[in-house]
């Protein structure tokens, strides 16, 4: 079925009236009482378009109804299987029941992909992906699509149920707190949203915190890795996608930290909303959090396994040196296993070896194969860049080392401009 609309190519301001086209599609008239029975034959051939019912009334009678069929799927009765033709004969359906029906399609009938294919430049990448965060659609438009940004935003609001705001992000993060400037392309300037994930509700101001819906699967993986009733130190907790479900689902004792005051605010709010116990929240630099809070906790001589999540891929590896000498000069009879889950961006061609080298370099200590829990390729960030996670049990020798004589530094406020694609 030809859905081309040559008169809208290059449109930059949405004109819904121009999305109008007449098409002829195959159809079949069937006794109303046999519609259900005939679905066994025609279900996979039905015409599927937005705001268009594939079974319609026949003018002047209630005894018969018309099924609209997709011309790309249905050709002729003769092309049906012998079993299907036998079924139609039993229902008294033959060639005389088939005809062509003229449909007048309007804007409401076209899918998002059909509209973008008709409007956007031929031969170039279209608007193929977006993230949804509650009522917000988050885009990262390429330069050649920027002239069409307002049209794209309005189409998404028109077509996606529950969407009230469409934003496009700038090309770089220039912030201590991983938030970024965004432009509202269509809809309301309302950034406070709610997201459901891993049996939890997360509420936050999307313009002030970092949230990536594409990490939902990774959040779930980590929660499943945590033993019941273990202890979690979440160094870069954000609004709590690790911390809150860890406390709610795995009944962990959680120490959750984020430097961003807005993330810290919503982290506390999400702890309250989800009614989770045993969660302490902090608004500290990541290195300070490890050296103060984890260190003091270890002095209590805990017996439960301890897990440490460090999800700040652009910089997290640099914070691993906070573990060096964490217990220097302190004698403890025994320590529970401390498993660190650290994230980083690596080049595709050498991702796994690069990740291990980065971690060992920051710790100034080798990690034995037996100390590695898993090395996971979390997702593709760009064609040549991957986000990886190395989960490993930290060697006791690292904690007991004499701390190197280096200037105390707080790396988070010194963040440089980060490639926004890396944070996506």
């Amino acid at each position: 079925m030809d859905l081309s609309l040559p008169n809208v190519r290059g449109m930059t301001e949405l004109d819904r009236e121009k999305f109008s086209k007449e098409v002829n599609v195959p159809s079949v008239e069937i006794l109303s009482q046999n519609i259900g029975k005939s679905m066994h034959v025609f279900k996979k051939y039905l015409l599927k378009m937005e705001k268009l019912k594939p079974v319609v009334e026949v003018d002047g009678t209630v005894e018969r109804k018309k099924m609209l069929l997709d011309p790309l799927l249905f050709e002729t009765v003769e092309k049906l299987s012998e079993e299907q033709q036998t079924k139609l004969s039993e229902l008294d359906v033959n060639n005389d029941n088939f005809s062509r029906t003229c449909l007048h399609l309007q804007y409401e009938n076209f899918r998002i992909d059909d509209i973008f294919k008709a409007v956007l430049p031929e031969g170039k990448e279209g608007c193929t992906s977006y993230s949804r965060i509650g009522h917000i659609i988050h885009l990262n438009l390429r330069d050649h699509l920027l002239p069409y940004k307002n049209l794209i935003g309005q189409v998404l609001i028109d077509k996606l149920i529950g969407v009230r705001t469409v934003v496009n992000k700038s090309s770089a993060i220039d912030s201590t707190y991983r938030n970024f400037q965004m432009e509202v392309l269509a809809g309301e300037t309302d950034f406070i949203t709610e997201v459901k994930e891993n049996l939890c509700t997360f509420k936050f101001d999307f313009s002030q915190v970092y949230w990536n819906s594409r990490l939902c699967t990774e959040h779930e993986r980590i929660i499943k890795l945590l033993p019941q009733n273990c202890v979690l130190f979440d160094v870069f907790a954000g609004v709590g996608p690790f911390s809150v479900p860890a406390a709610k689902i795995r009944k962990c004792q959680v120490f959750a930290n984020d430097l961003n005051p807005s993330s810290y605010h919503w982290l506390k709010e999400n702890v309250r909303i989800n009614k989770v116990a045993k969660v302490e929240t902090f608004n500290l630099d990541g290195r300070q959090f490890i050296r103060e809070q984890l260190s003091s906790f270890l002095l209590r001589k805990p017996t439960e396994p301890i897990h440490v999540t460090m999800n700040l891929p652009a910089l997290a590896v640099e914070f691993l040196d906070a573990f060096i000498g964490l217990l220097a000069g302190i004698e403890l009879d025994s320590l529970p296993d401390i498993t660190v889950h650290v994230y980083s961006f690596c080049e595709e061609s050498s991702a796994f070896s690069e990740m291990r080298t980065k971690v060992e370099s920051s710790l100034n200590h080798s990690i034995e194969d037996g100390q590695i829990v898993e090395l996971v390729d979390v997702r593709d960030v760009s064609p040549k860049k991957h986000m990886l996670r190395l989960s490993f049990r930290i060697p006791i020798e690292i904690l007991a080392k004499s701390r190197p004589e280096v200037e105390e530094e707080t790396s988070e406020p010194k963040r440089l401009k980060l490639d926004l694609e890396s944070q996506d």
Side-chain angles (χ1 to χ4, degrees):
M1 181 167 55
D2 180 15
L3 294 179
S4 60
L5 295 159
N7 61 325
V8 302
R9 177 74 66 193
M11 179 187 291
T12 55
E13 294 296 327
L14 182 61
D15 184 350
R16 297 175 183 84
E17 297 300 320
K18 289 189 176 181
F19 289 85
S20 177
K21 187 176 183 68
E22 288 192 352
V23 296
N24 282 289
V25 300
S27 59
V28 56
E29 288 191 19
I30 299 175
L31 289 172
S32 299
Q33 64 194 43
N34 289 336
I35 287 292
K37 297 176 183 178
S38 65
M39 280 295 179
H40 294 294
V41 175
F42 293 116
K43 186 176 181 180
K44 67 179 181 181
Y45 301 111
L46 291 178
L47 182 64
K48 296 176 183 177
M49 298 197 70
E50 292 190 5
K51 303 294 179 68
L52 185 68
K53 294 180 179 180
V55 181
V56 298
E57 304 291 335
V58 175
D59 291 341
T61 178
V62 296
E63 295 181 354
R64 305 179 72 82
K65 290 187 177 181
K66 181 184 292 185
M67 282 187 176
L68 304 177
L69 307 177
D70 190 328
L72 298 177
L73 302 176
F74 181 87
E75 297 181 29
T76 63
V77 178
E78 288 74 19
K79 292 293 181 71
L80 295 175
S81 69
E82 184 176 338
E83 181 183 351
Q84 290 173 321
Q85 292 187 46
T86 300
K87 183 66 176 177
L88 292 182
S89 296
E90 293 173 358
L91 298 175
D92 198 24
V93 176
N94 53 49
N95 278 322
D96 294 337
N97 296 82
F98 289 85
S99 62
R100 306 287 293 188
T101 296
C102 181
L103 299 177
H104 181 65
L105 302 180
Q106 298 176 306
Y107 174 77
E108 64 178 9
N109 303 125
F110 290 91
R111 299 173 303 171
I112 292 175
D113 290 347
D114 295 329
I115 294 172
F116 289 161
K117 185 177 179 181
V119 172
L120 301 179
E122 287 186 275
K124 291 189 177 182
E125 178 190 8
C127 183
T128 56
S129 65
Y130 54 81
S131 296
R132 180 162 183 170
I133 308 96
H135 70 275
I136 301 170
I137 292 294
H138 176 206
L139 297 169
N140 181 20
L141 296 178
R142 304 298 182 188
D143 289 345
H144 71 278
L145 294 178
L146 292 179
Y148 307 91
K149 62 185 181 181
N150 297 116
L151 178 144
I152 290 170
Q154 191 57 59
V155 170
L156 292 172
I157 281 189
D158 288 347
K159 297 294 183 176
L160 297 176
I161 296 172
V163 171
R164 303 198 309 273
T165 306
V166 178
V167 300
N168 187 44
K169 61 188 178 184
S170 61
S171 60
I173 289 178
D174 185 9
S175 169
T176 302
Y177 303 133
R178 282 199 297 176
N179 52 355
F180 50 83
Q181 296 297 314
M182 60 181 71
E183 178 186 7
V184 177
L185 303 184
E188 307 168 9
T189 306
D190 177 11
F191 301 126
I192 296 179
T193 189
E194 286 192 7
V195 175
K196 304 283 187 182
E197 183 180 287
N198 289 321
L199 305 179
C200 298
T201 299
F202 296 95
K203 186 176 181 179
F204 50 86
D205 183 339
F206 184 58
S207 68
Q208 297 297 317
V209 306
Y210 179 73
W211 179 273
N212 190 336
S213 297
R214 295 188 180 101
L215 292 177
C216 175
T217 301
E218 175 62 12
H219 296 154
E220 185 178 5
R221 281 196 206 106
I222 290 294
I223 301 308
K224 289 180 177 179
L225 277 177
L226 300 177
Q228 199 80 2
N229 298 308
C230 76
V231 178
L232 174 65
F233 279 80
D234 195 357
V235 183
F236 312 110
V239 300
F242 289 134
S243 295
V244 174
K248 184 172 184 176
I249 299 171
R250 310 302 283 176
K251 309 302 179 187
C252 297
Q253 181 178 1
V254 177
F255 299 84
N257 174 73
D258 203 273
L259 181 66
N260 182 345
S262 292
S263 295
Y264 175 63
H265 165 77
W266 292 108
L267 171 62
K268 292 191 296 182
E269 179 67 5
N270 290 326
V271 168
R272 184 193 66 80
I273 290 172
N274 290 280
K275 301 178 181 178
V276 290
K278 299 194 298 183
V279 178
E280 294 184 45
T281 56
F282 301 86
N283 183 209
L284 302 172
D285 165 71
R287 185 173 281 104
Q288 180 185 1
F289 175 66
I290 294 170
R291 288 179 176 169
E292 293 180 0
Q293 299 306 318
L294 178 56
S295 176
S296 63
F297 182 79
L298 291 174
L299 293 177
R300 302 180 200 173
K301 299 183 179 181
T303 57
E304 307 88 347
I306 296 171
H307 286 250
V308 182
T309 46
M310 303 179 70
N311 184 18
L312 181 64
L315 290 170
V317 169
E318 297 177 19
F319 286 78
L320 288 173
D321 65 359
F323 290 97
I324 301 175
L326 197 64
L327 297 176
I330 299 171
E331 292 188 12
L332 294 175
D333 296 335
S334 64
L335 276 177
D337 281 340
I338 301 175
T339 303
V340 176
H341 310 276
V342 63
Y343 296 81
S344 187
F345 297 121
C346 299
E347 294 299 318
E348 179 186 28
S349 59
S350 59
F352 288 98
S353 60
E354 180 185 346
M355 182 67 179
R356 185 167 181 170
T357 299
K358 281 184 176 183
V359 170
E360 292 179 333
S361 176
S362 187
L363 290 171
N364 195 24
H365 194 284
S366 62
I367 304 295
E368 303 299 329
D369 289 347
Q371 293 165 331
I372 294 178
V373 177
E374 60 180 10
L375 182 51
V376 178
D377 189 341
V378 176
R379 69 184 191 91
D380 299 350
V381 177
S382 64
K384 294 185 178 180
K385 183 180 288 187
H386 287 229
M387 176 180 173
L388 271 73
R389 166 173 52 86
L390 179 62
S391 296
F392 66 98
R393 286 184 287 274
I394 196 159
I396 186 67
E397 296 86 355
I398 292 174
L399 303 176
K401 272 185 181 180
S402 296
R403 186 173 296 175
E405 294 295 327
V406 294
E407 180 185 353
E408 289 289 319
E409 63 174 306
T410 299
S411 298
E412 284 175 290
K414 296 181 182 179
R415 293 178 190 164
L416 302 176
K417 285 187 178 182
L418 307 177
D419 175 26
L420 185 59
E421 187 69 21
S422 297
Q423 297 294 320
D424 198 14

